[in-house]
Structure formats: C-alpha cells, structure tokens
Amino acid sequence: CEQALALYETALARADATAAEKQRAEGSRADCLFAGRRYPEALEAYRQIAAREPANRDAKILIGRSLLRSGQQTAAVAAFEQLTRSKDALTRTRARALLAIAVEDTEPARAFELRRKVERQSEDRALAAEARWSLAWADLRAGRDEQALLRLEALSDGPNMVPLAEFEPLMRDLMAFDALAKGRAGRA
C-alpha cells in the first residue's frame, strides 16, 4: 500500500481526473493509510470523505475505527454510539459490534449486551455469527457452559459450518481447560 499512496496522490493532483476518479482515489488512499497503520492520517482522510459524502456509512465507521486504533478510546466510543442511532439498520449493527470491542475491557456487561443485539439482528449474518462466538466464550468464562453450547450449536447450523457432533469433543476440552484455569472442577 505504501507504494500505491504515491499513485493515489498523483491521481488526486491530476487536473483532468473526473470527480468519480478522485473519489475512488481518495477512498483508496484512506484505506491504504489505515492498512499501513497510519491511523491519524487515515482519520483525517475519512473525515474529509464523510464531510463531502454525509451518506457514506463506511467512512463514518472507519472514522470510529481510526480513532480506536490511534488510542482515542473516548472519541471512538462517542463515534460508535452516534452511529448506533443511525436510521440504517446495517450501520447500527456494525456500530454496535465495534462499540462492543471498544468497551469490552472497561464495560464488559455493556459489551455483552451490545453483542446480544448484534447476535439477534439479521442485516449481517457474519457479524451475528461473530457476536455469537464472542458470547459463547463469555458464557464459558462465566461458567454458563450450557448457554455456551447452545450458542455454539447455533453456529454449526449453517453452510460451511462444522457439525456440532464434530465440535463437541473440542468444546468439552475447552470447557475443562477454562475450568482448570479458573480453579473450578472441569468436565473432561
């Protein structure tokens, strides 16, 4: 991406570039900055895109992600919270998933509830599955083994998923390991 940045800068500086070409180059440049872990620069690039394109939900989500990655936790949480009030259901779902990540260390109960909302939504099945996986691990850590198994069973009911019968031995081993790590009797 670093080499591509110079190309994007050149494309943006071209007087004969169309608005659509400049828009694509600006988005690609911002994405490269983010991928290159240049989060403060990516943040500014995404802010410029969002200012010019107020309906661009990806730019708004990436502003929050850039804030979070650059260590601006409070600002990232505020950005995601604002997006959870969006009229667009997919934007709300994505914002809740990212907000859960942002608050999981400081507000684990809130993160759990946010993931439950993501798990129950239907706009993004991949995010629902990711939330279900995270919730299953949270259930395991809290000693709610049966609830964890139910969540994991739901994950096995989709295309390209491992059947639960193949997953159960691993699950029992993981539960026993988790129990030993916590000092309670595990089931093997």
Side-chain angles (χ1 to χ4, degrees):
C1 245
E2 285 297 318
Q3 294 173 344
L5 282 172
L7 297 174
Y8 296 134
E9 297 292 343
T10 301
L12 289 167
R14 283 186 33 216
D16 63 335
T18 67
E21 289 171 334
K22 286 188 177 192
Q23 187 175 353
R24 278 192 306 275
E26 192 174 49
S28 295
R29 178 183 170 275
D31 292 343
C32 272
L33 290 167
F34 188 89
R37 298 179 181 199
R38 293 167 59 175
Y39 303 120
E41 293 170 82
L43 173 61
E44 280 310 307
Y46 290 127
R47 282 183 170 155
Q48 289 173 7
I49 293 168
R52 193 182 61 256
E53 305 169 41
N56 187 330
R57 73 173 164 225
D58 291 331
K60 292 175 184 177
I61 290 286
L62 286 160
I63 287 169
R65 290 184 65 199
S66 296
L67 287 164
L68 191 60
R69 293 286 181 98
S70 63
Q72 298 179 56
Q73 171 88 9
T74 303
V77 167
F80 293 137
E81 284 174 339
Q82 181 178 2
L83 291 172
T84 65
R85 295 185 293 275
S86 170
K87 291 180 182 177
D88 179 64
L90 182 58
T91 299
R92 285 193 310 270
T93 296
R94 291 174 66 196
R96 284 180 183 131
L98 290 164
L99 182 55
I101 292 168
V103 301
E104 66 188 341
D105 291 335
T106 57
E107 302 176 69
R110 182 179 182 199
F112 189 87
E113 288 306 314
L114 286 161
R115 286 190 173 110
R116 284 183 56 186
K117 288 181 181 181
V118 173
E119 177 189 33
R120 291 189 300 253
Q121 58 77 38
S122 59
E123 288 78 28
D124 188 321
R125 294 175 65 84
L127 278 179
E130 184 178 315
R132 191 166 291 122
W133 180 258
S134 293
L135 290 167
W137 279 107
D139 287 334
L140 276 176
R141 287 190 296 275
R144 298 184 300 266
D145 300 347
E146 293 302 318
Q147 182 62 35
L149 280 173
L150 289 173
R151 289 187 200 283
L152 292 169
E153 183 175 290
L155 285 173
S156 72
D157 288 342
N160 304 318
M161 295 296 193
V162 177
L164 185 60
E166 293 177 30
F167 192 66
E168 282 178 336
L170 174 62
M171 187 62 217
R172 281 193 299 274
D173 290 345
L174 290 171
M175 288 168 45
F177 177 76
D178 187 61
L180 287 173
K182 290 186 210 173
R184 57 184 173 97
R187 294 187 296 256

